[in-house]
Amino acid sequence: MDDTHPRQTRDGIRIYSSEDFAGMHVAGQCAAQILDEVSALVHPGQTTGALDDFIRNRVEEMGATSATIGYRGYNHASCISVNHVVCHGIPGAGIPKSKDETISRDLEKRRTSDVLLDGDILNIDVTVIIDGWYGDTSRMYVAGRLSKKSERLLQVTHDALMLGIEQVRPGNTFGDIGHAIQSHVEKNRMSVVRDFCGHGLGRVFHAPPNVLHFGHAGTGAVLEEGMLFTIEPMVNLGRPETKTLNDEWTAVTRDKSLSAQFEHSVGVTAEGVEIFTLSPLGRFHPT
């Protein structure tokens, strides 16, 4: 099969060959290794800009290309989303003020600089390109001490992702993935963000399908061997609604509640699923 023009399903979803999975594994492991390495730099007093500088340098040193630098005018090697920022936080741009009372600090006086404070939780999202293949992954970190509420949010979000991945096998549907995630999150009295979703990838950054993190079992397109996509649930302690700030990138929770996200790139195999972005050092979960 010509991997530059793979077969597509009736829903426009690309079907790749088993040989293509090797390229996805290399790209995925590169992104995962960078996220392993940046972990040591996350601490109170650190800046999101410095974290992005480190990531940019490591992408170059590893012989990869950043998929986000230059993408639709974006100029950073990562997205770093702190506390109530849901996704697409811009490194070095400052951290939006919050009235979130679930953090044991006076956030009315919070700075808009990009300096991390003790107890901040943050998602770091990295996508690299190696030999034309895209590796896309994100995970949560904590600067300093992790509060009980934050710890529970991170655990529920991580578990929801893994429950969604458990549904990935030929014959299941994308609705099965979303239903597994939504059911777990809502059982724990949290909410799934509806405004953003996972996506197909491979030799492209974004492609069909849209991988919703909510839905009904047995609905949506049927999973087939050779499909490649991300699963990346965003979970809020409060309500699911978001808004995008004037920079046209940063998405925040409307009610200022904390938000968390974990993301893996996966492929459907004959037996089930391959996760391309597993942490080489087992550091995907910060606790």
Side-chain angles (χ1 to χ4, degrees), residues 14-196:
R14 293 169 170 85
I15 303 296
Y16 291 89
S17 69
S18 57
E19 291 78 13
D20 295 332
F21 279 45
M24 287 295 296
H25 178 81
V26 171
Q29 285 299 285
C30 175
Q33 180 179 332
I34 291 170
L35 290 187
D36 278 354
E37 294 175 0
V38 78
S39 177
L41 302 180
V42 178
H43 54 75
Q46 182 62 278
T47 66
T48 60
L51 295 176
D52 186 67
D53 287 342
F54 172 82
I55 292 167
R56 181 192 299 258
N57 290 334
R58 287 300 290 137
V59 170
E60 293 177 357
E61 291 167 357
M62 296 176 74
T65 301
S66 170
T68 53
I69 295 176
Y71 179 77
R72 296 184 178 178
Y74 195 78
N75 294 312
H76 302 274
S78 64
C79 293
I80 301 180
S81 304
V82 183
N83 293 336
H84 68 294
V85 179
V86 176
C87 61
H88 303 157
I90 302 174
I95 301 169
K97 290 183 178 180
S98 171
K99 296 180 180 179
D100 186 354
E101 297 178 355
T102 65
I103 305 175
S104 57
R105 286 173 292 151
D106 183 7
L107 294 183
E108 284 300 302
K109 298 178 181 178
R110 185 178 180 85
R111 75 287 180 248
T112 55
S113 72
D114 68 330
V115 177
L116 297 174
L117 300 182
D118 185 40
D120 280 343
I121 60 172
L122 55 151
N123 176 274
I124 302 180
D125 190 340
V126 171
T127 307
V128 301
I129 312 168
I130 297 181
D131 294 329
W133 296 103
Y134 285 72
D136 187 1
T137 184
S138 79
R139 66 181 82 157
M140 296 299 297
Y141 300 82
V142 58
R145 295 167 293 181
L146 184 63
S147 72
K148 291 296 183 181
K149 286 186 177 181
S150 295
E151 181 178 13
R152 183 166 173 267
L153 172 64
L154 267 60
Q155 188 66 57
V156 169
T157 308
H158 175 270
D159 291 347
L161 168 64
M162 301 314 293
L163 288 168
I165 290 175
E166 286 180 7
Q167 295 299 314
V168 179
R169 56 182 176 270
N172 273 10
T173 69
F174 283 97
D176 294 329
I177 298 171
H179 178 73
I181 292 170
Q182 180 183 8
S183 296
H184 181 72
V185 170
E186 294 182 351
K187 180 179 69 177
N188 284 278
R189 299 183 180 181
M190 300 179 192
S191 63
V192 177
V193 170
R194 267 69 164 174
D195 297 333
F196 302 94

